[in-house]
Amino acid sequence: MMCVGLDFGTTNSAIGVASDDGTVRLASFPYGAAFTETFRSILYFAADRRDARGKLVAVAGPGAIEAYLEADGSGRLVQSLKSYLADRGFLATNIFHKTHTAVELLSLLLKDLRAKAEESLGPLGSRIVVGRPVRFAHADTADDEAFAIERLGTALANAGFTEVTFEYEPVAAAYYYESTLDRDETVLVADFGGGTSDFSIVEVGPSRRKSARRILANDGVALAGDSLDAKVLHHVVAPVLGMGTSYRTMFGKELPVPVWIYAKLRRWHHLSFLKTPKNMELFDEIASGASDPRPIRGLQHVLDNDLGYHLYRAVEHAKVALSKSTTTTFLFEDSPLKVEAEVSRAAFESWIADEVGAMSECVDRVLATAKLDASAIDRVFLTGGSSFVPAVRRLFDERFGVEKIRTGGEMVSVATGLALRARDT
Ligand SMILES: Nc1ncnc2c1ncn2[C@@H]1O[C@H](COP(=O)(O)OP(=O)(O)OP(=O)(O)O)[C@@H](O)[C@H]1O
Ligand SMILES: [Mg+2]
């Protein structure tokens, strides 16, 4: 029997297969001249890439970015799909004049992920354990959560996974962490990803494997890497593109440049929605009525040349650099537009204070649900890409003491744990 685990992440996905002895093999995907175990949860459509029947063909994963960059930005990228699973407003989107439902997009992504994973793992069968966040982004009610799970389940079935078990992502990470233990522990697992931050308190260890493992509490919040990126964009890029300035309308009235423009800009994949003829007219009006037209022309340059992905890369690059150094140079250049700024970690931390505060409150909640004091937690296991952010780590250092903190498997812990979980069921 195949024991397959799938971590469908907002930014990165991974697939693992557990063998009888408890080792997990992760699918590896070609990327440039090398291989990677992370599959970007991204879909790319090229206008001219169609099958024999004229249907658009999509590419997912590492190949999607390569194809997009090769095409010089002329195609459409769909990213962070998972963040919209619970959003009833997001039913379909138009790509090259054809409507694609959310489930269709997700099915394309999962089918491609499956096919590419099978190249290194062999046939995966129909049975799978799939991760889910404790709280989906955009989910306000239990019904919204169920809606997200239903859409994910339909797309998984379309990709040939018809026997699906869902497991909380931080619980899966706990399985991964447990495999390293030689004694029992009460562990707080914190998984900081691209779309959500998820927390579980679990009793794990050698004597608890299988039956005696107890989950004491789960909680989560839809704030993670994407939200941190949005803050960098807001503070570093948006002001250079005219946020906070004003212009004189055709009728001589002084008006602020609308802030909704920059709210859209904060999610780079919303940029294509900004590019309507009506908006372009508005930008022209702003440019002719502004004392300095260059900022809004800069924004138009980004939209005209589909630079959203490149802009987002520069933002993420700066954020990642600030995990290592206390200062970095943000640089985005596409002549004539140039955004260059020194960004300090201290400034970044002041911008993300609300997000880190909300994560901290979620930790309070999960402890309260488990009816445990911080002192009753033996270990804290931090994982997920955004756990590299120093301000996020500090939250736990301060509350639990550095000696209790363990980190690791940032990009693979959830997929590995899900495969182990598949072996248990
Ligand atoms: N060194 C780093 N410093 C800061 N952020 C980082 C670093 N490395 C990766 N990230 C961020 O981590 C996020 C991706 O992490 P991960 O792959 O764990 O998320 P995911 O599993 O796709 O998302 P989710 O679990 O929310 O669905 C991205 O926002 C990325 O920018
Ligand atoms: Mg994740």
Side-chain angles (χ1 to χ4, degrees):
M1 192 175 56
M2 288 289 276
C3 303
V4 190
L6 162 64
D7 172 17
F8 169 55
T10 311
T11 317
N12 301 299
S13 296
I15 283 198
V17 173
S19 55
D20 291 338
D21 65 0
T23 53
V24 174
R25 212 150 56 91
L26 291 167
S28 76
F29 309 96
Y31 186 43
F35 283 88
T36 171
E37 289 170 342
T38 57
F39 184 94
R40 287 301 289 249
S41 310
I42 209 168
L43 258 186
Y44 171 71
F45 293 89
D48 52 3
R49 219 188 267 218
R50 289 170 193 274
D51 65 13
R53 284 175 300 155
K55 260 180 84 170
L56 282 171
V57 177
V59 210
I65 296 167
E66 281 170 348
Y68 173 77
L69 294 176
E70 268 164 32
D72 225 7
S74 64
R76 267 291 294 277
L77 275 180
V78 181
Q79 183 169 304
S80 297
L81 254 181
K82 186 180 173 186
S83 292
Y84 299 93
L85 275 180
D87 181 354
R88 288 165 197 274
F90 180 54
L91 292 175
T93 186
N94 200 299
I95 295 166
F96 297 122
H97 315 297
K98 188 178 175 308
T99 301
H100 293 259
T101 66
V103 170
E104 276 167 5
L105 294 174
L106 196 56
S107 304
L108 286 171
L109 200 159
L110 294 173
K111 274 184 204 164
D112 200 40
L113 169 59
R114 175 184 186 132
K116 289 186 176 136
E118 287 183 334
E119 283 170 22
S120 66
L121 294 175
L124 291 173
S126 58
R127 189 178 155 269
I128 197 164
V129 176
V130 181
R132 56 154 297 173
V134 178
R135 302 239 187 293
F136 277 95
H138 287 109
D140 298 324
T141 63
D143 271 0
D144 294 347
E145 301 279 351
F147 182 63
I149 286 294
E150 185 197 307
R151 293 212 277 199
L152 186 51
T154 307
L156 284 162
N158 290 341
F161 298 115
T162 46
E163 296 166 79
V164 178
T165 308
F166 288 103
E167 178 58 272
Y168 285 134
E169 288 158 12
V171 171
Y175 276 71
Y176 167 88
Y177 172 72
E178 183 184 53
S179 64
T180 68
L181 287 183
D182 54 16
R183 48 172 221 155
D184 292 350
E185 287 179 356
T186 299
V187 60
L188 165 64
V189 179
D191 173 19
F192 296 93
T196 59
S197 300
D198 294 277
F199 308 90
S200 289
I201 299 177
V202 194
E203 292 178 339
V204 290
S207 80
R208 289 165 172 161
R209 255 165 223 161
K210 296 207 174 177
S211 50
R213 201 186 276 117
R214 272 209 312 153
I215 298 162
L216 305 181
N218 297 303
D219 215 322
V221 57
L223 291 169
D226 285 354
S227 308
L228 308 187
D229 291 338
K231 285 297 166 86
V232 174
L233 211 113
H234 178 84
H235 289 275
V236 178
V237 181
V240 181
L241 301 181
M243 185 181 72
T245 62
S246 61
Y247 69 106
R248 198 168 285 280
T249 68
M250 290 181 276
F251 310 106
K253 205 171 154 202
E254 190 80 12
L255 281 183
V257 175
V259 287
W260 58 258
I261 297 173
Y262 303 94
K264 285 257 190 291
L265 192 66
R266 281 201 288 274
R267 298 282 192 216
W268 68 272
H269 46 289
H270 285 183
L271 280 186
S272 50
F273 303 128
L274 260 184
K275 227 173 126 178
T276 63
K278 194 166 154 240
N279 287 346
M280 289 313 218
E281 235 171 71
L282 170 69
F283 301 149
D284 281 335
E285 188 189 350
I286 293 172
S288 51
S291 55
D292 179 2
R294 282 171 304 179
I296 206 76
R297 290 288 182 220
L299 176 65
Q300 283 178 305
H301 181 78
V302 169
L303 298 177
D304 286 342
N305 297 285
D306 288 309
L307 299 176
Y309 179 72
H310 298 268
L311 194 56
Y312 163 83
R313 281 241 293 213
V315 164
E316 192 188 21
H317 188 80
K319 176 185 74 171
V320 168
L322 289 174
S323 292
K324 272 220 169 85
S325 345
T326 52
T327 171
T328 191
T329 305
F330 176 93
L331 180 63
F332 175 79
E333 194 168 14
D334 192 271
S335 190
L337 175 64
K338 183 172 182 182
V339 186
E340 189 173 10
E342 284 305 306
V343 182
S344 70
R345 187 188 287 170
F348 174 62
E349 290 184 351
S350 71
W351 302 336
I352 65 170
D354 285 352
E355 284 71 15
V356 175
M359 292 169 186
S360 175
E361 282 167 20
C362 199
V363 175
D364 290 336
R365 278 203 307 274
V366 78
L367 285 168
T369 307
K371 298 196 174 61
L372 290 178
D373 215 55
S375 61
I377 300 292
D378 299 317
R379 290 272 182 269
V380 175
F381 178 58
L382 303 180
T383 195
S386 298
S387 72
F388 285 116
V389 174
V392 169
R393 293 213 163 170
R394 214 163 47 231
L395 208 66
F396 296 89
D397 290 351
E398 283 165 2
R399 192 183 300 219
F400 298 93
V402 194
E403 65 290 347
K404 281 194 184 173
I405 313 295
R406 296 290 178 274
T407 58
E410 280 79 4
M411 314 313 273
V412 297
S413 58
V414 174
T416 308
L418 289 166
L420 293 173
R421 165 80 170 71
R423 191 168 148 265
D424 271 6
T425 34

